[in-house]
Amino acid sequence: MIKILILGGTSEASALASAVAKRGLPAIFSYAGRVNSPKPQPLPTRIGGFGGVSGLVAFLARERITHIVDATHPFAAQMSTNVVAAAAQRGVKAIALTRPAWQPVDGDQWQSVASVEEAVSALAYPPQRVLLAIGRMHLASFAAQPQHHYVLRLVDQPTSPLPLSDYTAVIDRGPFTLEGDLALLENQRIERIVCKNSGGEGAASKLTAARRLGLPVVMIERPQLPSRHEAHSIEDVISWLGDHY
Ligand code: 3Y8
Ligand code: NAP
């Protein structure tokens, strides 16, 4: 009997959860617990880490999971690595639902960097107003370039002091819109954007807005992930599941 574990945290994971629920397939949805009130899902949902590979293996056994869909984010490298290891250990089928990286088009002014650290080094120039659209988890690195005024887009209101001194926090969760991002860039007089090459629709509007306004973007490219079976659409995952039940 099929039972699916969906590792979520992205728009694609939510769309997959709806498709799986509509088909009445037995499934559990999982969040890491990174934000205060994650979006409710139409499936039984667990929140929090598993406790590394061994914790995930134990979970797969306890819940009799037969299929894992890793629909986490391209930058969720640790989770994705753990999935490959745990699925192999348990002999459970696994697939990643991921989205292709964004590619620059005419009018884009992107400076591609390989890591958050390289993005910080790329900011070594006179003070500007810089939008950091990278969430909360890597902000401390930018304290190395204190000359800028940072505009931070965060999912939750910070509960403790942030590791930067000169900043404006904008509390907002995506998916975002072109109108909203144009207004943000103009109202905050943004001169440069730092973001991750997440792909997908939910975070892309800031790039269209930057192109319209002729703003440069420091684009952090994705970390290396282990080789794995990948799908780029909900339909492909549903047919992959269908092959097995
Ligand atoms: C907890 C669960 C849905 C999912 C929506 C997507 C789109 C909107 C855009 C910007 C970029 C960023 C960030 C972002 C986007 C979607 C998607 C996406 C980027 C939620 C969610 C969880 C998280 C975790 C959060 C991280 C942060 C990253 C903010 C839910 C809302 C920057 C990634 O405060 C924190 O600690 C935030 C942490 C991991 C990256 C980081 O390193 O800080 N996502 N985001 C998930 C969990 O607990 O397992 O409430 O929906 C989900 C979404 N955020 O169903 O509609 O599909 O990517 N998320 C990035 O892409 O660069 C914002 O501001 O322009
Ligand atoms: P990560 O660095 O790869 O994972 C770190 C640890 O968090 C994992 O080892 C695991 O803990 C736990 N974890 C991650 N995703 C989980 C999930 N869906 N369910 C249960 N535990 C999970 O991941 P991350 O970058 O912190 O991302 C955390 C969540 O935010 C993910 O759901 C991801 O899809 C979402 N997200 C991340 C980004 C991003 O930029 N990184 C962007 C958008 C959304 P254990 O080892 O204890 O099991």
Side-chain angles (χ1 to χ4, degrees):
M1 178 60 185
I2 190 169
K3 187 171 181 184
I4 307 156
L5 171 62
I6 299 176
L7 298 168
T10 58
S11 314
E12 290 75 12
S14 298
L16 177 65
S18 302
V20 164
K22 207 161 67 181
R23 284 165 177 76
L25 296 176
I28 297 177
F29 193 92
S30 178
Y31 280 121
R34 281 270 182 283
V35 298
N36 289 343
S37 45
K39 180 178 182 175
Q41 296 292 344
L43 293 173
T45 299
R46 65 171 298 287
I47 298 180
F50 295 97
V53 174
S54 56
L56 180 52
V57 168
F59 179 85
L60 297 174
R62 191 168 60 247
E63 293 294 336
R64 294 184 171 63
I65 300 294
T66 58
H67 294 74
I68 307 177
V69 182
D70 173 3
T72 59
H73 191 273
F75 281 74
Q78 186 60 61
M79 187 73 254
S80 295
T81 303
N82 290 2
V83 166
V84 171
Q89 271 189 46
R90 275 293 296 166
V92 165
K93 300 197 183 325
I95 194 168
L97 171 58
T98 186
R99 53 261 180 130
W102 293 312
Q103 299 300 330
V105 299
D106 281 353
D108 282 336
Q109 299 173 53
W110 290 7
Q111 178 184 356
S112 277
V113 295
S115 65
V116 171
E117 290 62 39
E118 278 195 24
V120 173
S121 319
L123 297 184
Y125 51 76
Q128 282 193 316
R129 292 178 63 84
V130 179
L131 172 65
L132 291 187
I134 55 168
R136 178 175 53 105
M137 299 200 287
H138 305 284
L139 296 179
S141 305
F142 292 86
Q145 302 287 0
Q147 69 274 26
H148 302 304
H149 178 81
Y150 291 109
V151 175
L152 316 175
R153 179 140 73 178
L154 304 174
V155 176
D156 294 324
Q157 189 69 37
T159 49
S160 52
L162 293 178
L164 299 171
S165 50
D166 186 3
Y167 69 87
T168 304
V170 173
I171 308 306
D172 199 357
R173 82 164 57 198
F176 300 106
T177 64
L178 177 56
E179 298 66 36
D181 281 356
L182 278 168
L184 175 72
L185 297 180
E186 289 176 321
N187 300 342
Q188 294 292 341
R189 291 176 283 112
I190 298 301
E191 297 169 89
R192 191 178 295 265
I193 296 168
V194 178
C195 68
K196 296 174 180 173
N197 197 329
S198 314
E201 314 294 319
S205 46
K206 60 182 174 282
L207 302 176
T208 311
R211 190 184 311 130
R212 285 257 185 103
L213 299 173
L215 296 180
V217 175
V218 177
M219 182 62 76
I220 303 170
E221 299 304 343
R222 300 174 170 191
Q224 281 300 314
L225 294 179
S227 68
R228 64 205 180 144
H229 187 191
E230 285 188 1
H232 287 311
S233 72
I234 310 292
E235 295 70 30
D236 287 352
V237 174
I238 293 295
S239 57
W240 176 78
L241 290 168
D243 293 348
H244 301 287
Y245 75 89

